[in-house]
Amino acid sequence: MNRLLAVKSTEDIFLEYRDTPVGRLLEYHNLNRHFDTYLKAQILIGMCMDNRKHLQIPDNFAYIIRAGGANLRYSEFKVSYAIAVGGVKSIVLIGHSQCGMVNLIERKELFVQGLVDNAGWQRESAEEHFMQFAPMFEIGNEIDFVLSEAKRLRLRYPKIQIAPLLYQVEDNLLYLIQEN
Ligand SMILES: [Zn+2]
């Protein structure tokens, strides 16, 4: 089942996102909309730390929190700050294809050996480190994860618009996700 919807024109943007900061993000990044001038942030973007992604957005447009898998569960205070002090009313969560946090557990040996070789860790400490943190950052599937994060954040911040999106590293475009 393909739940991703391409955004090739403004008509493809869900009605609830049109003329909101979420819609603007899609227009800037996918549709080359001319950059507007912003004096303050309009949106909070949660996205993965992965190096293959770069968003086309104007200066001052967004707060950005980057964490493995676009997982904001351990960044809640920063999310609250962007809302309470920064005044943003929208959050987008951007998962991406080929995310390293999917099936993280399968990369255990790579992780442990990498810490030993590259950082000078003892194998035992590296294993312990992995086993302590991997369950917190493991995501089963990129799309399911951003959808569940969106649901969680909607309950936590009921007056804030929360939009789950997916970034395809294959074409560097953002996709809407069909929910439910
Ligand atoms: Zn990732």
Side-chain angles (χ1 to χ4, degrees):
M1 181 184 62
N2 191 0
R3 291 172 288 175
L4 298 182
L5 298 168
V7 176
K8 294 182 174 148
S9 75
T10 47
E11 288 73 48
D12 293 330
I13 298 172
F14 294 158
L15 274 177
E16 73 245 47
Y17 297 152
R18 275 189 220 165
D19 295 314
T20 72
V22 177
R24 288 288 182 267
L25 168 66
L26 290 164
E27 290 182 66
Y28 292 134
H29 187 81
N30 278 28
L31 307 176
N32 293 314
R33 182 190 167 97
H34 182 76
F35 284 179
D36 300 290
T37 302
Y38 294 100
L39 298 176
K40 63 190 287 284
Q42 308 295 304
I43 194 168
L44 167 64
I45 297 172
M47 63 192 290
C48 188
M49 63 194 267
D50 194 284
N51 61 305
R52 291 167 292 182
K53 313 193 309 304
H54 177 72
L55 294 174
Q56 307 297 329
I57 50 172
D59 288 346
N60 287 331
F61 178 65
Y63 284 99
I64 303 181
I65 297 175
R66 299 193 69 151
N71 186 341
L72 295 184
R73 283 180 291 190
Y74 312 107
S75 304
E76 189 155 76
F77 190 78
K78 288 175 269 186
V79 174
S80 297
Y81 184 92
I83 294 167
V85 180
V88 304
K89 295 186 168 60
S90 303
I91 298 175
V92 286
L93 291 170
I94 306 178
H96 72 100
S97 56
Q98 303 175 23
C99 186
M101 295 297 121
V102 172
N103 292 324
L104 184 55
I105 203 78
E106 282 180 10
R107 252 164 258 122
K108 180 184 173 198
E109 188 43 40
L110 196 64
F111 181 100
V112 169
Q113 195 60 50
L115 268 182
V116 171
D117 294 342
N118 302 339
W121 283 43
Q122 297 298 316
R123 167 161 287 272
E124 198 181 321
S125 310
E127 279 181 356
E128 205 178 298
H129 188 56
F130 184 88
M131 293 317 286
Q132 183 183 351
F133 289 100
M136 294 163 64
F137 292 100
E138 166 81 47
I139 63 176
N141 163 293
E142 301 93 336
I143 297 176
D144 290 333
F145 182 75
V146 286
L147 290 178
S148 70
E149 264 295 88
K151 284 202 181 98
R152 183 183 71 79
L153 288 165
R154 282 172 187 148
L155 292 172
R156 191 80 172 127
Y157 303 103
K159 291 169 76 174
I160 302 297
Q161 177 181 50
I162 316 275
L165 301 176
L166 196 92
Y167 187 111
Q168 294 262 50
V169 297
E170 296 80 3
D171 61 10
N172 290 309
L173 292 172
L174 292 169
Y175 288 75
L176 287 161
I177 303 173
Q178 189 80 62
E179 296 191 58
N180 60 59

